[in-house]
Amino acid sequence: MFNMKNRNFETDLENPQTEVQLDEYYVVIGTETNLPELAYLPKKTFLLKTRNHHDLKTAFPENNDTGEWGHGFFYVIKNDEVFSFFSYGPAGDGSNITGNISTCDYPITEVTHLYRLRISEENAKKIAIDVNKIRKLSNSFIFDEERKEYVNNETIEKDKKKYRALTNSTCAKEAEKILRRHLGEKVPKGNGYVKYGFFSIPAVNPYSWWENLQKSPLKLEKYPEFPKTGKAEIMLGQVRKDGKDEFVHRLYGRNLSSFYEEDTIIWRTGDDATKEEYWILQIGDKDPLIEWGYLNDK
């Protein structure tokens, strides 16, 4: 007996045919981890064992003389469209290690490593429920049923859910916790070590998660990445280095000048030359990997 929900049936009187279309769900795990040679280095633990540590504090000239925190996030796809999006981070400026207002719409600012995994409808819905619980406790975009549009959730008590590095309530930890709660060992752990000044402690972090994801059987894409087809060529920043024009991992936008000398940046021309290109996804958006041809040509 067929359940009619989420299935399409077409019948021609002279040539009877039945087409059954089942919904497909995927989770796409993303990491911004583009400076491993600087931020993910072997360090000695207190047990004198050498482990890779994610350095959160050392200032790198290649990173605007700041630490390289990286980022971890995920989104769920139903067929070709976004079903849920979770990018946990501090909301606004002035984030610090003791805590800050959180958001589930922290913008993606660099090339991302994306790992795809097919999941069940039941798991997709359970993941979305967990994401929505945090959205209602953070400074995130939520869908207003009365207005039929997304609005910023500013009516809640801001101290209910904080981004706090001190307790590992961070991007990778919160994302990994939700996914592993429902998908178990299908999602690699993000456990590793983080170094903050003189301190070195075990914690889930973007670079350890990235390392384990790289070793996993999950399908890997990079987005956006030049010279692939799609939006990459117009999204990626371009700088002059050693007399050559080369693309860099950061996206175009006004903030590009915060990371590179102004006279080395090769700006796009036209009205969108300094437009912010940092991105988030909302329910109903098309999967960027499909929209920009990263999957269709395979």
Side-chain angles (χ1 to χ4, degrees):
M1 180 176 178
F2 282 105
N3 180 351
M4 298 293 288
K5 184 180 179 182
N6 297 331
R7 291 164 173 81
N8 296 328
F9 296 86
E10 295 182 3
T11 302
D12 189 291
L13 293 177
E14 297 181 357
N15 185 22
Q17 292 183 344
T18 301
E19 178 182 324
V20 181
Q21 179 178 330
L22 303 178
D23 289 331
E24 292 185 355
Y25 293 85
Y26 289 86
V27 64
V28 182
I29 306 170
T31 64
E32 288 181 333
T33 44
N34 294 307
L35 293 174
E37 71 279 8
L38 299 176
Y40 198 54
L41 303 173
K43 302 289 181 182
K44 289 263 185 152
T45 69
F46 289 115
L47 299 177
L48 300 180
K49 295 181 180 179
T50 300
R51 306 271 185 93
N52 277 346
H53 283 54
H54 181 186
D55 192 333
L56 300 181
K57 193 172 183 180
T58 302
F60 304 112
E62 296 90 338
N63 199 41
N64 197 31
D65 290 320
T66 63
E68 161 62 4
W69 282 57
H71 186 53
F73 64 99
F74 69 81
Y75 61 91
V76 177
I77 292 296
K78 176 182 178 181
N79 300 326
D80 293 350
E81 295 183 349
V82 175
F83 185 73
S84 181
F85 176 74
F86 186 74
S87 178
Y88 190 74
D93 298 327
S95 61
N96 57 68
I97 196 168
T98 59
N100 194 7
I101 301 168
S102 66
T103 178
C104 299
D105 296 305
Y106 192 75
I108 313 303
T109 66
E110 300 180 23
V111 166
T112 57
H113 305 250
L114 298 179
Y115 307 84
R116 299 178 81 242
L117 171 65
R118 188 168 181 177
I119 61 175
S120 69
E121 178 179 6
E122 179 183 6
N123 283 332
K125 290 182 176 179
K126 287 181 176 179
I127 290 169
I129 288 172
D130 278 1
V131 169
N132 287 336
K133 287 179 181 177
I134 298 181
R135 281 186 169 276
K136 291 177 181 178
L137 298 176
S138 64
N139 193 23
S140 304
F141 290 112
I142 57 174
F143 190 75
D144 188 315
E145 292 291 347
E146 293 184 1
R147 296 165 58 178
K148 300 300 180 185
E149 64 181 8
Y150 278 94
V151 297
N152 204 339
N153 185 24
E154 297 177 334
T155 60
I156 50 90
E157 297 177 28
K158 296 294 180 61
D159 61 347
K160 284 186 176 179
K161 181 68 177 177
K162 285 191 175 183
Y163 175 93
R164 184 179 286 114
L166 189 62
T167 57
N168 204 202
S169 180
T170 56
C171 56
K173 173 62 178 181
E174 296 294 333
E176 185 232 47
K177 182 167 63 175
I178 292 174
L179 294 182
R180 286 183 59 85
R181 178 183 298 140
H182 301 294
L183 302 176
E185 295 299 320
K186 292 180 181 179
V187 175
K189 293 182 179 179
N191 299 70
Y193 284 83
V194 295
K195 178 177 180 292
Y196 191 83
F198 294 106
F199 297 99
S200 178
I201 59 174
V204 174
N205 64 84
Y207 275 92
S208 293
W209 205 17
W210 161 79
E211 181 182 45
N212 291 332
L213 284 162
Q214 286 286 106
K215 296 175 182 177
S216 77
L218 300 185
K219 296 180 179 179
L220 167 66
E221 297 288 338
K222 274 192 174 184
Y223 173 80
E225 185 181 30
F226 183 82
K228 274 194 169 185
T229 59
K231 200 174 181 181
E233 188 172 356
I234 64 171
M235 287 186 73
L236 286 178
Q238 194 175 16
V239 300
R240 297 183 181 92
K241 184 178 180 181
D242 300 327
K244 300 179 180 179
D245 299 344
E246 66 176 37
F247 288 88
V248 297
H249 278 302
R250 296 189 182 278
L251 305 187
Y252 264 114
R254 290 189 294 273
N255 286 10
L256 196 65
S257 57
S258 297
F259 295 91
Y260 300 95
E261 295 295 331
E262 186 71 31
D263 59 359
T264 68
I265 301 172
I266 304 172
W267 294 103
R268 296 198 310 275
T269 58
D271 295 337
D272 291 335
T274 58
K275 180 181 177 182
E276 294 282 4
E277 295 284 6
Y278 302 163
W279 57 274
I280 62 172
L281 296 172
Q282 293 183 337
I283 296 173
D285 287 349
K286 193 163 186 177
D287 183 351
L289 289 176
I290 296 174
E291 182 177 9
W292 300 108
Y294 284 69
L295 298 179
N296 295 342
D297 297 334
K298 292 189 181 297

PDB file of all heavy atoms in Angstrom, residues 21 34 58 91 105 164 169 222:
ATOM      1  N   GLN A  21       8.040   9.426  -7.077  1.00  0.00           N
ATOM      2  CA  GLN A  21       9.146  10.321  -6.712  1.00  0.00           C
ATOM      3  C   GLN A  21       9.253  10.369  -5.196  1.00  0.00           C
ATOM      4  O   GLN A  21       8.334  10.825  -4.516  1.00  0.00           O
ATOM      5  CB  GLN A  21       8.902  11.722  -7.267  1.00  0.00           C
ATOM      6  CG  GLN A  21      10.015  12.700  -6.905  1.00  0.00           C
ATOM      7  CD  GLN A  21       9.769  14.064  -7.503  1.00  0.00           C
ATOM      8  OE1 GLN A  21       9.159  14.188  -8.571  1.00  0.00           O
ATOM      9  NE2 GLN A  21      10.232  15.091  -6.810  1.00  0.00           N
ATOM     10  N   ASN A  34      41.131  26.723   6.303  1.00  0.00           N
ATOM     11  CA  ASN A  34      42.005  26.978   5.167  1.00  0.00           C
ATOM     12  C   ASN A  34      43.448  27.323   5.533  1.00  0.00           C
ATOM     13  O   ASN A  34      44.266  27.584   4.657  1.00  0.00           O
ATOM     14  CB  ASN A  34      41.414  28.106   4.309  1.00  0.00           C
ATOM     15  CG  ASN A  34      40.101  27.695   3.667  1.00  0.00           C
ATOM     16  OD1 ASN A  34      40.035  26.662   3.009  1.00  0.00           O
ATOM     17  ND2 ASN A  34      39.059  28.478   3.864  1.00  0.00           N
ATOM     18  N   THR A  58      47.463  32.570  18.789  1.00  0.00           N
ATOM     19  CA  THR A  58      48.640  33.119  18.126  1.00  0.00           C
ATOM     20  C   THR A  58      48.239  33.940  16.910  1.00  0.00           C
ATOM     21  O   THR A  58      47.463  33.484  16.064  1.00  0.00           O
ATOM     22  CB  THR A  58      49.593  31.992  17.688  1.00  0.00           C
ATOM     23  OG1 THR A  58      49.965  31.230  18.835  1.00  0.00           O
ATOM     24  CG2 THR A  58      50.834  32.564  17.024  1.00  0.00           C
ATOM     25  N   ALA A  91      27.021  36.552  17.957  1.00  0.00           N
ATOM     26  CA  ALA A  91      26.214  37.535  17.225  1.00  0.00           C
ATOM     27  C   ALA A  91      26.773  38.926  17.462  1.00  0.00           C
ATOM     28  O   ALA A  91      26.853  39.390  18.596  1.00  0.00           O
ATOM     29  CB  ALA A  91      24.760  37.468  17.679  1.00  0.00           C
ATOM     30  N   ASP A 105      22.996  31.820  12.548  1.00  0.00           N
ATOM     31  CA  ASP A 105      23.191  32.328  11.190  1.00  0.00           C
ATOM     32  C   ASP A 105      24.529  33.041  11.066  1.00  0.00           C
ATOM     33  O   ASP A 105      24.623  34.116  10.459  1.00  0.00           O
ATOM     34  CB  ASP A 105      22.052  33.280  10.801  1.00  0.00           C
ATOM     35  CG  ASP A 105      20.717  32.580  10.744  1.00  0.00           C
ATOM     36  OD1 ASP A 105      20.615  31.575  10.021  1.00  0.00           O
ATOM     37  OD2 ASP A 105      19.767  33.023  11.420  1.00  0.00           O
ATOM     38  N   ARG A 164      30.206  30.330  23.862  1.00  0.00           N
ATOM     39  CA  ARG A 164      31.185  30.450  24.947  1.00  0.00           C
ATOM     40  C   ARG A 164      32.317  29.455  24.723  1.00  0.00           C
ATOM     41  O   ARG A 164      32.150  28.246  24.891  1.00  0.00           O
ATOM     42  CB  ARG A 164      30.512  30.203  26.303  1.00  0.00           C
ATOM     43  CG  ARG A 164      31.425  30.399  27.494  1.00  0.00           C
ATOM     44  CD  ARG A 164      30.710  30.156  28.813  1.00  0.00           C
ATOM     45  NE  ARG A 164      29.798  31.230  29.168  1.00  0.00           N
ATOM     46  CZ  ARG A 164      28.481  31.095  29.244  1.00  0.00           C
ATOM     47  NH1 ARG A 164      27.925  29.933  28.981  1.00  0.00           N
ATOM     48  NH2 ARG A 164      27.723  32.111  29.593  1.00  0.00           N
ATOM     49  N   SER A 169      31.102  25.682  24.112  1.00  0.00           N
ATOM     50  CA  SER A 169      29.823  25.917  23.433  1.00  0.00           C
ATOM     51  C   SER A 169      30.125  26.759  22.196  1.00  0.00           C
ATOM     52  O   SER A 169      29.880  27.962  22.149  1.00  0.00           O
ATOM     53  CB  SER A 169      28.838  26.640  24.361  1.00  0.00           C
ATOM     54  OG  SER A 169      27.605  26.853  23.690  1.00  0.00           O
ATOM     55  N   LYS A 222      34.541  21.340  -2.395  1.00  0.00           N
ATOM     56  CA  LYS A 222      34.967  22.642  -1.894  1.00  0.00           C
ATOM     57  C   LYS A 222      34.088  23.696  -2.557  1.00  0.00           C
ATOM     58  O   LYS A 222      33.846  23.633  -3.759  1.00  0.00           O
ATOM     59  CB  LYS A 222      36.439  22.913  -2.206  1.00  0.00           C
ATOM     60  CG  LYS A 222      37.406  22.361  -1.191  1.00  0.00           C
ATOM     61  CD  LYS A 222      38.794  22.934  -1.432  1.00  0.00           C
ATOM     62  CE  LYS A 222      39.756  22.503  -0.341  1.00  0.00           C
ATOM     63  NZ  LYS A 222      41.081  23.129  -0.515  1.00  0.00           N
TER      64      LYS A 222
END
